[in-house]
Amino acid sequence: MDDPYGTPDADGPLLVIVDGANVVGSRPDGWWRDRRGAAERLRDRLAAEGLPGRTGPVEIVLVVEGAARGVASVPGVRVEEAPGSGDDHIVDLTARSPTRPRLVVTADRELRGRVTALGAEVTGPRTLLG
């Protein structure tokens, strides 16, 4: 079983998959006026701060969809555009690394159920946003 604290195993460091739309949408700060800009600000925050409280290595993947498409990856954060549903893409990314420790950042109840069924841990947007 994966270590809930994300201790790296032979398959790599903790994989942190961030539900960009859900995390950005968790704060009423005007994100809806510029979804791409909001996703870029989240990406930059992740690149600068990583996963708060985590000292070990992590691989951060920010999943974007819809109007947030077009956000480039930067050192420390790989950005993936969901070809369709962001939730489906997050589930696919989670399923691709079954033996690796995985943490999905979302408040979406249905998505949380889907990824925990695959053995991933989940946490809410506050983990990243304070």
Side-chain angles (χ1 to χ4, degrees), residues 40-91:
E40 288 171 338
R41 287 188 297 278
L42 175 58
R43 176 208 56 201
D44 294 346
R45 182 175 185 155
L46 292 168
E49 298 177 11
L51 182 62
R54 170 74 182 178
T55 57
V58 296
E59 178 185 353
I60 299 175
V61 179
L62 174 62
V63 176
V64 297
E65 61 185 306
R69 286 189 172 95
V71 174
S73 295
V74 297
V77 180
R78 185 174 85 234
V79 179
E80 290 210 9
E81 294 181 356
S85 159
D87 289 2
D88 289 346
H89 192 64
I90 290 166
V91 170

Side-chain angles (χ1 to χ4, degrees), residues 18 20 33 37 42 49 61 86 92 105 116:
V18 179
R33 290 187 292 267
L42 175 58
E49 298 177 11
V61 179
D92 183 51
V105 183
T116 56

